[in-house]
Amino acid sequence: MTLLSPDPRGLLTGARYLAELDDGRELYLDGQRVPNPAEHPAFRPAAEELGRLLDLQHLPEHRELLTFKDPDTGLRLARAYQPPTTLEELRVQRRSAEFWHAEALGQQGRSPAFMASIAVGVHDFRHQLASADPRFGANAEAWYRHCAQNDLVLSHALGDPQIDRSANPLDDPDLALRVLSENEHGIVVRGAKQLTTLAPLAHEVLVYLSASFTQGRAEQFVVWFALPLNTPGLITLAREPLGTAAWGHGHPLGARYDEQDAMLFFDDVLVPWDRVFLLRDAGLARRGLARINAWSAYVGHIRYRERLRTLLATATLLAESIGVSQFRNIQEDLGRLAGYAELTEYFLDAAENRGALTDAGLFAPGDTFASRVWSAEVAGDAVDIVRRIGASGLLMQPSPGDLANPRLRPHLERYMRGRETDVELKSRLFRLAWELTGDGFGQRQDLYEYVHRGDLARNRINVFHRYDQSATRARLLALLDPATSVQEARA
């Protein structure tokens, strides 16, 4: 039994992508099954925006930046799927990701450009997986090629259900996805995964390590595999949509970029053997977690830089529209936000300068783990700056219906205009700022920045343990050594 396509189809078009979402998946929203997310009003705008971005790959002016020629098939494939073997190839990946995330204003955390880089990481780690079982290395390589040669849109599932984080899954096995059994066809898994961003709009999901359950006898919960989202027994439960066109220009971001987060329920799902990459090897899983995410951390930082740029430009336009852009305190806030955006450039440059070849021959960005901690720490302040500048204006702006009302319009023009800004443009601007920072979509994006890099306290502790203090400690201990002090006194 196999779920890998024998006939690669190459680059996705928007039309093909939307058609492929009608695949019989078991997707639910608000208790109702959604037969085809591409036709449902809650999912269609975001799906169509993804389709628009995928179509850009086919334009002649973007061909070399966004695609490359596959040496095995001769097909043009998405640049994000190209395994970089040199620093220059990595920088081409950077420019390609910059283009994608600029188009999406930094709002697509789980863009195809991001998830393709994780598939590259799985490809890079294949030899280590093969050391545990030769089949797993071969499976990882075949799956990467399947994704790349069909330009699949991917999601990934890491977290386990928030049932009782103080308990041990050995006492309550529902706390984590687990392997129930093995047979000649594959493994059978039961459990749930959260928070699977983009799952309702993706072709496949990659499931890998839950870092919480890799100690001692809990290795039965450690498994890596990938499945199409229409696999029998796999249920996708989407959260309430955050983007709606019900109020006209009030939700331009949410309508396009609400990626949808989801719970996945694995109701005794059969995972074919050729879809299994790792099984019950906690040590290998822990080593692999950082390795396969080396490129996604880099691409994720490119996306975050674009989000910071979007927040900065929005804050600047707000300040200009109400005549406060020259105020000292406002310029200080804008300067801090500009500093955040510029620092992301330094982190990307550092990742490139620290890059090195892996044992599989790929050029991987160097570790900038502390930059991920920093990103989570400043994310809230970046949003707060926009809120402070917009202040109460974020809460009260006329709707399209208000603007069209002849009784209201003169009052709106007189009392709700801005400095050299008409009331309609000001309304659209402030509503955009509210969506970025205050409504359901904005709050979700803010929370995403805080949580998607992992537990902040744990990450800070890891930075402490990773940082090499040995030389400075030795100098201090030498300074504190009584024998050293006596010698210096005599000298």
Side-chain angles (χ1 to χ4, degrees), residues 7 96 101 116 215 241 247 300 373 472 474:
D7 300 313
S96 175
H101 287 299
Q215 307 298 324
W247 298 104
V373 173
T472 307

Side-chain angles (χ1 to χ4, degrees), residues 151-172:
D151 201 12
L152 297 188
V153 175
L154 305 176
S155 179
H156 66 168
L158 301 177
D160 294 292
Q162 289 178 311
I163 298 173
D164 182 357
R165 293 290 170 89
S166 69
N168 190 312
L170 292 171
D171 300 322
D172 183 353

Side-chain angles (χ1 to χ4, degrees), residues 13-85:
T13 63
R16 192 182 111 208
Y17 164 66
L18 294 174
E20 288 175 355
L21 289 177
D22 186 13
D23 60 4
R25 66 186 61 199
E26 194 172 355
L27 169 64
Y28 292 88
L29 174 66
D30 193 28
Q32 302 298 312
R33 185 164 182 179
V34 178
N36 180 2
E39 295 181 352
H40 192 284
F43 304 106
R44 185 175 60 245
E48 289 178 345
E49 177 64 11
L50 271 172
R52 181 189 75 83
L53 293 168
L54 291 165
D55 278 338
L56 294 177
Q57 301 176 120
H58 297 269
L59 297 179
E61 61 266 36
H62 303 315
R63 176 184 173 97
E64 290 305 316
L65 177 63
L66 299 182
T67 72
F68 74 104
K69 188 174 182 179
D70 181 17
D72 296 324
T73 64
L75 294 170
R76 301 296 300 189
L77 305 181
R79 178 71 72 179
Y81 275 114
Q82 182 179 18
T85 58

Side-chain angles (χ1 to χ4, degrees), residues 333-354:
D333 274 345
L334 292 173
R336 185 159 67 256
L337 193 45
Y340 294 160
E342 187 167 354
L343 279 170
T344 58
E345 291 280 352
Y346 302 161
F347 296 141
L348 288 167
D349 291 344
E352 291 173 358
N353 290 330
R354 294 181 176 184

Side-chain angles (χ1 to χ4, degrees), residues 453-467:
R453 298 171 182 89
D455 178 73
L456 183 56
R458 183 187 67 215
N459 288 344
R460 286 177 177 140
I461 292 168
N462 286 339
V463 170
F464 166 67
H465 287 302
R466 286 167 177 236
Y467 195 80

Side-chain angles (χ1 to χ4, degrees), residues 415-471:
Y415 299 114
M416 301 192 77
R417 59 188 169 87
R419 183 178 185 272
E420 300 178 354
T421 307
D422 65 48
V423 64
E424 188 158 350
L425 176 58
K426 182 186 173 188
S427 171
R428 288 178 179 274
L429 172 61
F430 271 73
R431 282 175 171 268
L432 175 71
W434 172 247
E435 192 181 18
L436 266 175
T437 65
D439 76 354
F441 176 79
Q443 291 295 314
R444 183 268 176 198
Q445 300 297 83
D446 188 24
L447 181 61
Y448 173 87
E449 297 299 348
Y450 186 78
V451 303
H452 92 95
R453 298 171 182 89
D455 178 73
L456 183 56
R458 183 187 67 215
N459 288 344
R460 286 177 177 140
I461 292 168
N462 286 339
V463 170
F464 166 67
H465 287 302
R466 286 167 177 236
Y467 195 80
D468 184 4
Q469 303 184 59
S470 56

